[in-house]
Amino acid sequence: MNVGVKFKSRSSKDGYRGRTAAEVRRVSKYHTHSIPLDMEDIERDYDKPIVEACIAAKTSLIVRVGMLELGAGTGSFRVREMMHRIAYPMGVHVRADVNLTDIEATCTDGVSRITEVVDLPTTGVNTERIWLLEHFADWLSVKCGQAGTYHAMTVVSRELVDNLDEPNVYAAARKAVKEVLAQDQDAAKALKDAVATAVHNEDEISQNRIDAAAIDTRTAAGLGTVGSTPRPEDSKDSDSSAAGSAATGPSATSQGRGSEAGRPASSDKSASPEPQATGGITVRQAHERLDLIERRKPLYSPLFSGFASAVACAAFVFLLGGGPYDMAGAFVGAGIGQWVRRQMLGRRINQFFATGVAVIIAALACVGTLRLVGIFDPVALRHDTAYIGAILFVIPGFPLVTGGLDIAKLDFPSGVQRITYAFSIILVATLGGWAVARMVMLNPQGFEPMNLSPWLMAGLRLIAAFCGVWGFSVLFNSPQRMALVAAVIGALTDTMRLEMQDLLHVPPEMAAFLGAFLAGMLATVWRSSVRHGLLPPHLGYPRISLTVPSIVIMVPGLYMYRAMFYLGQFNTLNALDWAFRAFMVIICLPIGLVTARVLTDRSWRYDV
């Protein structure tokens, strides 16, 4: 934008007056989505230890973490839990109203009180950020002299957050963890045994802390102390937090000012020097770590994202009953469509407009591919339904599921907003697909049966479900290890769902509920295995990052499109029939996850 360019704005006194681009930039400085960090009260305490900072500086950290968590696409219940986990070691109470794109939070330390409001220009999904913020909460808690609540061995979180500025943060963190554990294998084994004993005995862990003095001081500095959290039963799952712990109030401040059980402060790799006073890291150092999390680029390029979308939609089409030609058309269309969408969203194009354009391009690319193949094999011309599979990459599975989870936690404003947003995206996508169908005179009647043997079909479904969930996990920006874990869970649960429908004639709604329930239980088993030391500690992923990608492939995209297709033909009876079928399946998915959560998590089992 050139400085000499003029902009006009209405003035009540002199009509229109010109503004240079530089003036516009100066004014736009105040059009921010949050309170700036260069305010006088925050800057005054920017280099103080966090527990000694003023309420404004503490609030800037608490609300910023909530904003990053909300921008990653998670539900309001997780945003509140994360804000409580950040606030607890600072001795701060938090009361927050969280909606789809805004947070209003009031924080108090028992002396002062402050309210801050932040809002987001748009929303999206970023499971890597959700995972990194879990580690950041543990990192901050340990730095402030408290016990971690996410990992049994807090060295995982410490090394991961400290290495955020490394080109390959995950490799650097794993290497650092191995080096720390190798320093004293006996102490590491003793710590692991102590953790296992504490996890098995919830009553004991709620009353006593593991004796950190029994571990070598050098190793304790690297491994952290694993003790009881204020709500240890919640710490068994990555989505749980010390939400109820904040009720202990400002007394946490006095605990955070000293090193607990003789634990020395851990080293920090941030640019600012480590504070000499007790109380852990400074406000500046915490914000520097959040800067690295916020500014991380997507893990995958638009080209690779397009490939993952192509794989996911081709697998989706097979699971819906499509054959090789249907899969080929969906592969080409979804790949091109997702690449276009990523390019547009990267330029901050309106999300609904980008979705509509991407869907139309994907559908046309799919139809064009089948028409091209039809020159050599006329059979391909009969596969009109394939273009529906090519547009399924825009299904907003994350807000659909998190909206249902918010409603289950009685947070109706956030839940209704998320579900409304999801259905708005679905409406734009189905309208785009319907417009293409009218444009090229398509009349999809469903996929032709392939007549495969039951055992072969089950094996192919297992492979297709694995590939489909992996593709959707990549679209959600999951690291490869996380994507593979979700793919394994999705392969088992979705194959079971489809086999129950075919062999046992279970209704699709009940099969969707059972599939989502099994996904939630498998995610819990995975997290428990990590906490008990049966799996490496760096594989402890947030539960929502495993469950939602694994059940997105169960969302009835074909049902929703058929409803819109018949509605466009003013065939209202068939439109309502397919719409209600889709609705019933959709609501059963979050109900299945909630049921699994209630059975395995006390914070969901009881209203507290």
Side-chain angles (χ1 to χ4, degrees):
M1 190 180 294
N2 296 325
V3 176
V5 176
K6 295 286 184 176
F7 293 84
K8 295 182 178 180
S9 61
R10 175 69 68 179
S11 172
S12 59
K13 295 183 179 180
D14 55 1
Y16 286 97
R17 66 174 185 270
R19 283 187 178 180
T20 65
E23 290 173 335
V24 172
R25 283 196 295 270
R26 285 197 294 270
V27 173
S28 66
K29 174 183 178 182
Y30 295 95
H31 295 177
T32 57
H33 297 280
S34 61
I35 302 299
L37 295 177
D38 56 356
M39 295 181 63
E40 182 179 353
D41 50 355
I42 298 177
E43 282 191 321
R44 183 173 58 247
D45 290 355
Y46 217 52
D47 291 309
K48 284 186 178 180
I50 289 178
V51 294
E52 299 176 5
C54 66
I55 186 63
K58 294 177 180 178
T59 302
S60 70
L61 278 171
I62 297 168
V63 177
R64 187 180 182 189
V65 169
M67 181 178 65
L68 291 176
E69 187 85 5
L70 183 65
T74 188
S76 64
F77 72 97
R78 279 187 55 86
V79 174
R80 288 195 185 91
E81 287 180 347
M82 183 60 64
M83 294 174 70
H84 283 304
R85 287 178 58 187
I86 297 297
Y88 171 72
M90 305 180 193
V92 175
H93 294 273
V94 182
R95 167 66 177 85
D97 286 328
V98 182
N99 295 309
L100 178 64
T101 58
D102 64 90
I103 301 174
E104 181 180 350
T106 299
C107 301
T108 177
D109 58 0
V111 177
S112 304
R113 180 174 58 204
I114 187 172
T115 298
E116 184 170 342
V117 179
V118 296
D119 61 275
L120 303 173
T122 186
T123 185
V125 180
N126 190 337
T127 52
E128 185 206 30
R129 179 181 292 180
I130 296 174
W131 184 40
L132 291 178
L133 288 173
E134 292 279 3
H135 286 290
F136 176 83
D138 254 22
W139 175 84
L140 182 70
S141 182
V142 172
K143 293 286 186 178
C144 291
Q146 300 292 325
T149 59
Y150 182 54
H151 268 301
M153 290 187 291
T154 53
V155 62
V156 178
S157 297
R158 182 178 70 84
E159 294 298 335
L160 185 61
V161 176
D162 284 346
N163 285 281
L164 280 173
D165 49 355
E166 296 289 338
N168 190 341
V169 57
Y170 304 114
R174 285 195 296 269
K175 180 180 178 181
V177 169
K178 290 179 180 178
E179 291 177 352
V180 172
L181 295 178
Q183 290 178 359
D184 195 330
Q185 295 182 357
D186 294 336
K189 184 179 183 301
L191 179 61
K192 183 182 294 187
D193 293 341
V195 171
T197 302
V199 171
H200 277 100
N201 192 340
E202 294 182 3
D203 294 332
E204 182 178 351
I205 194 173
S206 63
Q207 301 295 331
N208 304 294
R209 295 185 179 274
I210 297 174
D211 187 8
I215 303 175
D216 177 72
T217 303
R218 174 173 52 81
T219 307
L223 296 178
T225 301
V226 183
S228 62
T229 63
R231 295 190 59 184
E233 64 274 10
D234 295 348
S235 69
K236 296 174 69 176
D237 190 273
S238 63
D239 294 344
S240 301
S241 68
S245 308
T248 56
S251 61
T253 306
S254 61
Q255 296 174 1
R257 294 181 185 277
S259 178
E260 198 171 345
R263 176 172 59 239
S266 303
S267 61
D268 186 61
K269 294 185 179 181
S270 57
S272 300
E274 192 75 30
Q276 297 301 317
T278 60
I281 59 172
T282 63
V283 177
R284 180 188 301 276
Q285 290 171 329
H287 275 296
E288 285 173 349
R289 296 293 104 182
L290 290 177
D291 287 340
L292 294 174
I293 295 176
E294 182 176 8
R295 296 169 185 171
R296 282 183 63 82
K297 295 181 179 180
L299 295 175
Y300 309 105
S301 65
L303 188 61
F304 191 84
S305 178
F307 170 75
S309 173
V311 171
C313 289
F316 211 149
V317 166
F318 176 82
L319 295 173
L320 292 174
Y325 282 136
D326 302 300
M327 296 173 64
F331 184 91
V332 175
I336 296 175
Q338 172 61 15
W339 180 83
V340 171
R341 186 171 70 151
R342 271 289 301 270
Q343 295 289 348
M344 297 181 71
L345 294 179
R347 290 167 173 77
R348 299 184 180 275
I349 303 296
N350 179 272
Q351 190 171 155
F352 292 103
F353 180 76
T355 299
V357 171
V359 164
I360 292 174
I361 292 176
L364 290 175
C366 176
V367 173
T369 300
L370 293 176
R371 293 292 186 269
L372 182 62
V373 175
I375 298 175
F376 306 97
D377 186 357
V379 175
L381 299 177
R382 300 201 302 264
H383 293 265
D384 287 343
T385 313
Y387 81 97
I388 301 177
I391 68 176
L392 296 180
F393 65 93
V394 299
I395 290 179
F398 232 89
L400 273 176
V401 175
T402 55
L405 295 177
D406 282 344
I407 291 178
K409 295 290 286 185
L410 301 182
D411 192 343
F412 289 97
S414 177
V416 171
Q417 288 182 29
R418 289 183 176 279
I419 293 176
T420 302
Y421 160 75
F423 277 109
S424 300
I425 293 290
I426 293 171
L427 179 63
V428 171
T430 52
L431 281 174
W434 171 80
V436 172
R438 299 288 291 182
M439 187 188 313
V440 298
M441 303 302 294
L442 296 177
N443 187 25
Q445 298 298 323
F447 299 105
E448 297 181 1
M450 290 182 288
N451 299 320
L452 300 176
S453 67
W455 287 105
L456 178 59
M457 177 61 75
L460 293 176
R461 280 173 172 171
L462 192 69
I463 298 173
F466 179 90
C467 295
V469 175
W470 173 84
F472 280 116
S473 296
V474 170
L475 296 185
F476 296 153
N477 200 47
S478 296
Q480 279 300 310
R481 292 172 184 263
M482 184 190 297
L484 293 175
V485 174
V488 171
I489 295 176
L492 296 175
T493 55
D494 197 56
T495 302
M496 182 203 73
R497 174 183 71 95
L498 295 173
E499 291 299 312
M500 284 193 304
Q501 291 181 221
D502 289 349
L503 301 179
L504 303 178
H505 305 290
V506 176
E509 301 81 14
M510 178 59 68
F513 167 80
L514 294 175
F517 174 76
L518 179 60
M521 296 302 294
L522 290 177
T524 299
V525 171
W526 183 271
R527 285 287 300 130
S528 298
S529 299
V530 173
R531 291 196 60 83
H532 286 75
L534 301 178
L535 292 172
H538 61 272
L539 296 180
Y541 303 119
R543 175 172 167 152
I544 196 170
S545 300
L546 300 178
T547 54
V548 176
S550 65
I551 68 171
V552 164
I553 205 166
M554 303 181 190
V555 175
L558 183 61
Y559 290 5
M560 292 183 287
Y561 175 77
R562 282 183 172 176
M564 181 55 63
F565 181 81
Y566 285 120
L567 186 62
Q569 293 182 332
F570 297 100
N571 189 342
T572 54
L573 290 179
N574 280 330
L576 289 174
D577 177 60
W578 286 106
F580 278 112
R581 290 188 187 188
F583 175 75
M584 290 300 295
V585 173
I586 288 173
I587 64 173
C588 285
L589 293 176
I591 290 176
L593 289 184
V594 169
T595 303
R597 194 64 183 274
V598 168
L599 294 177
T600 59
D601 191 340
R602 288 188 178 184
S603 65
W604 282 70
R605 194 178 311 146
Y606 304 106
D607 292 329
V608 292

